[in-house]
Amino acid sequence: MGKRTIIPFGPQHPVLPEPVHLDLVLEDEIVVAAIPQIGFVHRGLEKLVEKRDYNQFMYVAERICGICSFGHSLGYAQTIEALMDVEIPKRAEYLRVIWHELSRIHSHLLWLGLVADGFGYESLFMHTWRLRERVLDIFEKTTGGRVIFSACTVGGVVHDIENSELSGIVAVLDGLASEYAELSGAFLKDTSVNNRLVGVGVLTKEQAYDLSAVGPFGRASGLPYDIRSIGYGGYADLANFVPVTSPAGDSYARCEVRVKEVLASIEIIKELVAKIPAGEIAVAVKGAPAAGSQVVSRLEQPRGEAFYYAKGNGTKFLDRFRVRTPTSINIPGMVTALAGCQLADVPMIVLTIDPCISCTER
Amino acid sequence: MGSFKLGRMTMRSLLGKPATAMYPVVPPVYFERTKGHVENDIETCILCSICEKKCPSQAIVVDKPAKSWTIDPFRCVQCNACVIACPKQCLTMVNTYTAPATSKSTLTVTKAEAAS
């Protein structure tokens, strides 16, 4: 046994987009254990629910995370609608899923760019983010915002997308898909990329199950676990939804799952655009959640399952609102995947769970 | 497996137009719905204060006795809540951004009858 050394990693590190600290226990160059620490960007957003009424809190909820901003507004809206027994129009459900899947495409493209930057392939990073711009343009055109949309409201959505504009979105996505095929070839078939990813940070299916890994991180270990399968909102009307999985459990598999999920999301959007019904986009919601009413709701965000809890107290202000984000549940899996890897692979493995620490700490 | 998988795309970007706009020589193009900043047509405004109550970031202050409407552009998060709630549709979300500034300031509009 070599001499053990503890190396601090983060919270500020060039490869980390957000602050997470790891104490890496090393034997020579091999990581024996990693002790994570978070708590550097806590903003107390959940407490704010006592100071903003349930309609205003929508704008706070979507600021929990910059990348899954639509996911959080959708999750919050679903939770409050369940709390108040509101049924929203079908068209609004479809529009929400279309925006949510566009968010997944932009989130995965962002992650693919970051991972390319992480292993030092700058041109791949630039090209991935160039394609991502087209999705952001769709957001700006349809909602008015590139990052924060404010498109969801309790009872439906704020903006409608005309059917002609929806066909325009499909045309943009078709153009994106042809260029994306070339990019995905670079991620999945390039030898230099494979040398950095294959066999790095392995998490077996049993470990993933035991540690409740969610999202692409869990699916890359062969767990077919995707909340979209339960058919919430517009997902119920999809003809066939099969989660994208890969059995290997290494960093390459996590990359592969995300690469394929982008294509799956494009297919979902196309199917929903073909099926979208006409009609209202929102219903008026009056009153307040009943005193003592509680509800939980779940949602598949780009990073995995997010869990929401809300409790009403008879006024327009909620008693409690709680979010459990995919990153917080994936940290034990990440620590397990880190054990036994080379020090040089640590940034890569930390990136492969797509950590969103701002989400986790809120 | 193989190498140079990104070759065609790289060649195209070497020979083609730049992917980014040459800002500030080329001005940015905003979409119709782009959330830039909120403006108030004060002559239509009835100073009902609904926008002040709906604003999640407390950026709007309505002063009824002085007949003025004030917005703090540095607090405003462009959520559109005031524009949606306005009963007289006098608030509009304009698709251009406010100019950068070196110090924080607020913007007040006052009804003409009060100003004279």
Side-chain angles (χ1 to χ4, degrees):
Chain A
M1 195 176 93
K3 191 183 163 200
R4 289 199 168 185
T5 321
I6 296 178
I7 300 219
F9 175 88
Q12 307 302 328
H13 188 279
V15 83
L16 290 177
E18 291 181 58
V20 56
H21 175 80
L22 293 170
D23 277 322
L24 300 169
V25 183
L26 298 182
E27 271 180 17
D28 299 330
E29 287 280 307
I30 307 291
V31 176
V32 182
I35 303 152
Q37 184 191 350
I38 58 171
F40 302 97
V41 284
H42 178 66
R43 292 160 291 161
L45 291 184
E46 282 177 353
K47 181 75 179 162
L48 207 55
V49 82
E50 296 165 15
K51 299 268 195 260
R52 299 284 182 279
D53 71 38
Y54 70 86
N55 283 314
Q56 288 179 329
F57 195 76
M58 174 65 75
Y59 306 110
V60 182
E62 65 182 348
R63 281 165 175 79
I64 289 174
C65 175
I67 308 300
C68 345
S69 65
F70 189 79
H72 281 299
S73 65
L74 172 55
Y76 175 76
Q78 277 188 4
T79 312
I80 302 300
E81 282 153 12
L83 200 62
M84 298 176 69
D85 263 337
V86 176
E87 196 171 327
I88 69 162
K90 211 73 186 151
R91 189 174 177 89
E93 279 187 351
Y94 274 55
L95 288 173
R96 281 179 176 185
V97 172
I98 289 170
W99 274 316
H100 195 208
E101 288 303 316
L102 283 167
S103 299
R104 192 180 314 279
I105 296 172
H106 113 78
S107 174
H108 283 356
L109 286 175
L110 175 125
W111 180 83
L112 288 166
L114 285 180
V115 83
D117 186 46
F119 54 64
Y121 200 155
E122 288 295 323
S123 54
L124 189 54
F125 157 60
M126 290 287 182
H127 279 297
T128 317
W129 280 35
R130 179 174 61 83
L131 286 191
R132 176 174 167 264
E133 275 307 304
R134 295 190 198 166
V135 184
L136 295 185
D137 278 348
I138 295 177
F139 285 139
E140 191 172 351
K141 197 172 176 189
T142 54
T143 69
R146 281 163 53 87
V147 177
I148 304 286
F149 311 145
S150 309
C152 247
T153 180
V154 178
V157 291
V158 175
H159 302 289
D160 197 1
I161 311 181
E162 299 291 321
N163 285 348
S164 57
E165 211 173 332
L166 284 170
S167 338
I169 292 175
V170 170
V172 171
L173 292 178
D174 279 337
L176 189 141
S178 63
E179 282 201 58
Y180 181 70
E182 212 171 318
L183 269 186
S184 52
F187 276 106
L188 299 180
K189 294 181 185 148
D190 198 297
T191 311
S192 57
V193 176
N194 282 286
N195 288 344
R196 286 306 305 274
L197 297 177
V198 175
V200 173
V202 176
L203 187 77
T204 62
K205 189 174 181 179
E206 289 70 32
Q207 285 172 329
Y209 185 81
D210 290 344
L211 298 168
S212 315
V214 294
F217 186 60
R219 291 196 284 277
S221 296
L223 281 185
Y225 187 65
D226 192 321
I227 300 297
R228 287 177 287 174
S229 313
I230 65 173
Y232 61 86
Y235 292 109
D237 297 347
L238 290 177
N240 183 25
F241 178 78
V242 184
V244 179
T245 56
S246 177
D250 59 357
S251 297
Y252 178 83
R254 286 163 214 151
C255 190
E256 186 190 7
V257 165
R258 289 188 176 98
V259 164
K260 289 182 178 165
E261 276 192 2
V262 171
L263 298 172
S265 291
I266 294 178
E267 289 308 314
I268 291 176
I269 294 170
K270 279 186 182 172
E271 188 179 339
L272 291 183
V273 167
K275 284 182 179 173
I276 192 165
E280 291 294 307
I281 56 161
V283 288
V285 179
K286 295 262 190 284
S293 56
Q294 301 181 67
V295 79
V296 292
S297 101
R298 294 189 295 171
L299 182 78
E300 184 71 19
Q301 287 202 344
R303 294 172 165 90
E305 177 197 352
F307 176 95
Y308 299 86
Y309 165 81
K311 185 179 177 193
N313 61 1
T315 69
K316 286 204 158 206
F317 297 86
L318 296 180
D319 233 16
R320 183 85 170 92
F321 176 65
R322 169 100 174 95
V323 189
R324 196 205 64 196
T325 58
T327 303
S328 51
I329 205 73
N330 274 341
I331 285 179
M334 176 190 83
V335 172
T336 310
L338 280 172
C341 78
Q342 293 277 336
L343 175 62
D345 287 329
V346 170
M348 210 57 247
I349 298 169
V350 174
L351 264 187
T352 55
I353 74 158
D354 200 358
C356 181
I357 308 299
S358 297
C359 265
T360 306
E361 296 182 16
R362 302 172 298 282
Chain B
M1 300 300 143
S3 54
F4 218 55
K5 291 286 173 196
L6 207 63
R8 271 184 29 221
M9 196 175 263
T10 308
M11 286 309 287
R12 276 206 304 274
S13 53
L14 271 176
L15 303 170
K17 282 196 304 184
T20 48
M22 292 295 126
Y23 181 82
V25 179
V26 179
V29 182
Y30 298 118
F31 296 99
E32 197 185 323
R33 279 186 187 166
T34 299
K35 289 182 281 190
H37 69 280
V38 179
E39 277 185 7
N40 187 7
D41 175 13
I42 191 71
E43 294 313 319
T44 323
C45 182
I46 51 168
L47 304 168
C48 64
S49 301
I50 291 179
C51 50
E52 186 181 336
K53 290 191 192 87
K54 293 276 179 187
C55 180
S57 57
Q58 286 134 13
I60 299 174
V61 178
V62 179
D63 189 344
K64 276 185 186 168
K67 297 193 172 173
S68 71
W69 181 91
T70 306
I71 187 164
D72 182 346
F74 296 91
R75 288 188 75 102
C76 175
V77 293
Q78 285 90 30
C79 66
N80 229 11
C82 54
V83 179
I84 296 167
C86 182
K88 300 297 282 182
Q89 279 94 43
C90 64
L91 292 176
T92 41
M93 183 61 81
V94 184
N95 69 349
T96 52
Y97 297 104
T98 43
T102 50
S103 61
K104 290 192 172 181
S105 58
T106 57
L107 197 84
T108 305
V109 278
T110 312
K111 276 189 180 281
E113 52 194 278
S116 59

PDB file of all heavy atoms in Angstrom, chain A residues 341-359:
ATOM      1  N   CYS A 341     -10.335   5.376  -9.561  1.00  0.00           N
ATOM      2  CA  CYS A 341      -9.945   6.005 -10.829  1.00  0.00           C
ATOM      3  C   CYS A 341      -8.611   6.744 -10.681  1.00  0.00           C
ATOM      4  O   CYS A 341      -8.111   6.915  -9.574  1.00  0.00           O
ATOM      5  CB  CYS A 341     -11.040   6.957 -11.297  1.00  0.00           C
ATOM      6  SG  CYS A 341     -11.032   8.521 -10.425  1.00  0.00           S
ATOM      7  N   GLN A 342      -8.073   7.157 -11.802  1.00  0.00           N
ATOM      8  CA  GLN A 342      -6.854   7.967 -11.803  1.00  0.00           C
ATOM      9  C   GLN A 342      -7.198   9.404 -11.410  1.00  0.00           C
ATOM     10  O   GLN A 342      -8.289   9.892 -11.728  1.00  0.00           O
ATOM     11  CB  GLN A 342      -6.267   7.992 -13.222  1.00  0.00           C
ATOM     12  CG  GLN A 342      -5.741   6.667 -13.705  1.00  0.00           C
ATOM     13  CD  GLN A 342      -4.332   6.407 -13.213  1.00  0.00           C
ATOM     14  OE1 GLN A 342      -3.594   7.332 -12.911  1.00  0.00           O
ATOM     15  NE2 GLN A 342      -3.954   5.140 -13.122  1.00  0.00           N
ATOM     16  N   LEU A 343      -6.255  10.102 -10.798  1.00  0.00           N
ATOM     17  CA  LEU A 343      -6.503  11.498 -10.411  1.00  0.00           C
ATOM     18  C   LEU A 343      -6.884  12.351 -11.626  1.00  0.00           C
ATOM     19  O   LEU A 343      -7.764  13.199 -11.562  1.00  0.00           O
ATOM     20  CB  LEU A 343      -5.252  12.070  -9.718  1.00  0.00           C
ATOM     21  CG  LEU A 343      -5.301  13.547  -9.355  1.00  0.00           C
ATOM     22  CD1 LEU A 343      -6.414  13.842  -8.364  1.00  0.00           C
ATOM     23  CD2 LEU A 343      -3.973  14.034  -8.777  1.00  0.00           C
ATOM     24  N   ALA A 344      -6.236  12.081 -12.769  1.00  0.00           N
ATOM     25  CA  ALA A 344      -6.489  12.881 -13.969  1.00  0.00           C
ATOM     26  C   ALA A 344      -7.902  12.692 -14.513  1.00  0.00           C
ATOM     27  O   ALA A 344      -8.399  13.517 -15.274  1.00  0.00           O
ATOM     28  CB  ALA A 344      -5.471  12.535 -15.045  1.00  0.00           C
ATOM     29  N   ASP A 345      -8.558  11.590 -14.129  1.00  0.00           N
ATOM     30  CA  ASP A 345      -9.916  11.336 -14.627  1.00  0.00           C
ATOM     31  C   ASP A 345     -10.992  11.919 -13.724  1.00  0.00           C
ATOM     32  O   ASP A 345     -12.174  11.879 -14.077  1.00  0.00           O
ATOM     33  CB  ASP A 345     -10.145   9.826 -14.776  1.00  0.00           C
ATOM     34  CG  ASP A 345      -9.386   9.262 -15.958  1.00  0.00           C
ATOM     35  OD1 ASP A 345      -9.199   9.991 -16.945  1.00  0.00           O
ATOM     36  OD2 ASP A 345      -8.960   8.089 -15.888  1.00  0.00           O
ATOM     37  N   VAL A 346     -10.617  12.450 -12.560  1.00  0.00           N
ATOM     38  CA  VAL A 346     -11.618  12.934 -11.604  1.00  0.00           C
ATOM     39  C   VAL A 346     -12.515  14.016 -12.214  1.00  0.00           C
ATOM     40  O   VAL A 346     -13.753  13.901 -12.153  1.00  0.00           O
ATOM     41  CB  VAL A 346     -10.937  13.432 -10.298  1.00  0.00           C
ATOM     42  CG1 VAL A 346     -11.934  14.153  -9.406  1.00  0.00           C
ATOM     43  CG2 VAL A 346     -10.324  12.276  -9.557  1.00  0.00           C
ATOM     44  N   PRO A 347     -11.953  15.069 -12.841  1.00  0.00           N
ATOM     45  CA  PRO A 347     -12.842  16.098 -13.404  1.00  0.00           C
ATOM     46  C   PRO A 347     -13.838  15.517 -14.402  1.00  0.00           C
ATOM     47  O   PRO A 347     -15.008  15.887 -14.418  1.00  0.00           O
ATOM     48  CB  PRO A 347     -11.876  17.058 -14.111  1.00  0.00           C
ATOM     49  CG  PRO A 347     -10.561  16.815 -13.501  1.00  0.00           C
ATOM     50  CD  PRO A 347     -10.533  15.390 -13.078  1.00  0.00           C
ATOM     51  N   MET A 348     -13.357  14.574 -15.205  1.00  0.00           N
ATOM     52  CA  MET A 348     -14.197  13.932 -16.228  1.00  0.00           C
ATOM     53  C   MET A 348     -15.378  13.203 -15.580  1.00  0.00           C
ATOM     54  O   MET A 348     -16.524  13.337 -16.015  1.00  0.00           O
ATOM     55  CB  MET A 348     -13.291  12.916 -16.936  1.00  0.00           C
ATOM     56  CG  MET A 348     -13.586  12.636 -18.354  1.00  0.00           C
ATOM     57  SD  MET A 348     -13.531  14.113 -19.279  1.00  0.00           S
ATOM     58  CE  MET A 348     -15.196  14.176 -19.660  1.00  0.00           C
ATOM     59  N   ILE A 349     -15.089  12.438 -14.515  1.00  0.00           N
ATOM     60  CA  ILE A 349     -16.141  11.643 -13.871  1.00  0.00           C
ATOM     61  C   ILE A 349     -17.130  12.565 -13.145  1.00  0.00           C
ATOM     62  O   ILE A 349     -18.337  12.338 -13.183  1.00  0.00           O
ATOM     63  CB  ILE A 349     -15.521  10.607 -12.905  1.00  0.00           C
ATOM     64  CG1 ILE A 349     -14.633   9.644 -13.689  1.00  0.00           C
ATOM     65  CG2 ILE A 349     -16.599   9.839 -12.165  1.00  0.00           C
ATOM     66  CD1 ILE A 349     -13.774   8.753 -12.836  1.00  0.00           C
ATOM     67  N   VAL A 350     -16.613  13.622 -12.522  1.00  0.00           N
ATOM     68  CA  VAL A 350     -17.518  14.573 -11.855  1.00  0.00           C
ATOM     69  C   VAL A 350     -18.450  15.193 -12.897  1.00  0.00           C
ATOM     70  O   VAL A 350     -19.648  15.329 -12.681  1.00  0.00           O
ATOM     71  CB  VAL A 350     -16.717  15.668 -11.109  1.00  0.00           C
ATOM     72  CG1 VAL A 350     -17.637  16.733 -10.553  1.00  0.00           C
ATOM     73  CG2 VAL A 350     -15.907  15.055  -9.976  1.00  0.00           C
ATOM     74  N   LEU A 351     -17.909  15.505 -14.062  1.00  0.00           N
ATOM     75  CA  LEU A 351     -18.743  16.092 -15.126  1.00  0.00           C
ATOM     76  C   LEU A 351     -19.794  15.116 -15.629  1.00  0.00           C
ATOM     77  O   LEU A 351     -20.882  15.538 -16.016  1.00  0.00           O
ATOM     78  CB  LEU A 351     -17.866  16.511 -16.302  1.00  0.00           C
ATOM     79  CG  LEU A 351     -17.403  17.952 -16.386  1.00  0.00           C
ATOM     80  CD1 LEU A 351     -16.697  18.175 -17.702  1.00  0.00           C
ATOM     81  CD2 LEU A 351     -18.561  18.921 -16.269  1.00  0.00           C
ATOM     82  N   THR A 352     -19.483  13.821 -15.630  1.00  0.00           N
ATOM     83  CA  THR A 352     -20.422  12.878 -16.262  1.00  0.00           C
ATOM     84  C   THR A 352     -21.736  12.735 -15.505  1.00  0.00           C
ATOM     85  O   THR A 352     -22.679  12.197 -16.056  1.00  0.00           O
ATOM     86  CB  THR A 352     -19.808  11.482 -16.476  1.00  0.00           C
ATOM     87  OG1 THR A 352     -19.321  11.011 -15.226  1.00  0.00           O
ATOM     88  CG2 THR A 352     -18.729  11.505 -17.521  1.00  0.00           C
ATOM     89  N   ILE A 353     -21.817  13.174 -14.237  1.00  0.00           N
ATOM     90  CA  ILE A 353     -23.156  13.151 -13.614  1.00  0.00           C
ATOM     91  C   ILE A 353     -23.911  14.428 -13.952  1.00  0.00           C
ATOM     92  O   ILE A 353     -25.049  14.594 -13.558  1.00  0.00           O
ATOM     93  CB  ILE A 353     -23.112  12.944 -12.082  1.00  0.00           C
ATOM     94  CG1 ILE A 353     -22.648  14.209 -11.346  1.00  0.00           C
ATOM     95  CG2 ILE A 353     -22.287  11.753 -11.689  1.00  0.00           C
ATOM     96  CD1 ILE A 353     -23.094  14.213  -9.904  1.00  0.00           C
ATOM     97  N   ASP A 354     -23.286  15.330 -14.694  1.00  0.00           N
ATOM     98  CA  ASP A 354     -23.884  16.626 -15.034  1.00  0.00           C
ATOM     99  C   ASP A 354     -24.277  17.349 -13.745  1.00  0.00           C
ATOM    100  O   ASP A 354     -25.457  17.596 -13.499  1.00  0.00           O
ATOM    101  CB  ASP A 354     -25.101  16.416 -15.936  1.00  0.00           C
ATOM    102  CG  ASP A 354     -25.466  17.687 -16.707  1.00  0.00           C
ATOM    103  OD1 ASP A 354     -24.790  18.704 -16.480  1.00  0.00           O
ATOM    104  OD2 ASP A 354     -26.401  17.638 -17.505  1.00  0.00           O
ATOM    105  N   PRO A 355     -23.302  17.669 -12.884  1.00  0.00           N
ATOM    106  CA  PRO A 355     -23.667  18.228 -11.584  1.00  0.00           C
ATOM    107  C   PRO A 355     -24.267  19.617 -11.700  1.00  0.00           C
ATOM    108  O   PRO A 355     -23.789  20.440 -12.471  1.00  0.00           O
ATOM    109  CB  PRO A 355     -22.325  18.285 -10.832  1.00  0.00           C
ATOM    110  CG  PRO A 355     -21.301  18.376 -11.891  1.00  0.00           C
ATOM    111  CD  PRO A 355     -21.845  17.644 -13.088  1.00  0.00           C
ATOM    112  N   CYS A 356     -25.362  19.834 -10.975  1.00  0.00           N
ATOM    113  CA  CYS A 356     -25.954  21.173 -10.914  1.00  0.00           C
ATOM    114  C   CYS A 356     -26.083  21.514  -9.442  1.00  0.00           C
ATOM    115  O   CYS A 356     -27.041  21.131  -8.784  1.00  0.00           O
ATOM    116  CB  CYS A 356     -27.305  21.202 -11.602  1.00  0.00           C
ATOM    117  SG  CYS A 356     -28.009  22.840 -11.550  1.00  0.00           S
ATOM    118  N   ILE A 357     -25.076  22.178  -8.927  1.00  0.00           N
ATOM    119  CA  ILE A 357     -25.012  22.386  -7.490  1.00  0.00           C
ATOM    120  C   ILE A 357     -25.994  23.484  -7.065  1.00  0.00           C
ATOM    121  O   ILE A 357     -26.569  23.426  -5.983  1.00  0.00           O
ATOM    122  CB  ILE A 357     -23.564  22.722  -7.058  1.00  0.00           C
ATOM    123  CG1 ILE A 357     -22.596  21.664  -7.597  1.00  0.00           C
ATOM    124  CG2 ILE A 357     -23.436  22.813  -5.561  1.00  0.00           C
ATOM    125  CD1 ILE A 357     -22.845  20.259  -7.120  1.00  0.00           C
ATOM    126  N   SER A 358     -26.231  24.468  -7.929  1.00  0.00           N
ATOM    127  CA  SER A 358     -27.197  25.516  -7.587  1.00  0.00           C
ATOM    128  C   SER A 358     -28.587  24.929  -7.380  1.00  0.00           C
ATOM    129  O   SER A 358     -29.322  25.335  -6.491  1.00  0.00           O
ATOM    130  CB  SER A 358     -27.259  26.559  -8.693  1.00  0.00           C
ATOM    131  OG  SER A 358     -26.035  27.180  -8.824  1.00  0.00           O
ATOM    132  N   CYS A 359     -28.941  23.951  -8.235  1.00  0.00           N
ATOM    133  CA  CYS A 359     -30.201  23.219  -8.082  1.00  0.00           C
ATOM    134  C   CYS A 359     -30.249  22.527  -6.737  1.00  0.00           C
ATOM    135  O   CYS A 359     -31.232  22.594  -6.019  1.00  0.00           O
ATOM    136  CB  CYS A 359     -30.262  22.088  -9.102  1.00  0.00           C
ATOM    137  SG  CYS A 359     -31.097  22.392 -10.604  1.00  0.00           S
TER     138      CYS A 359
END
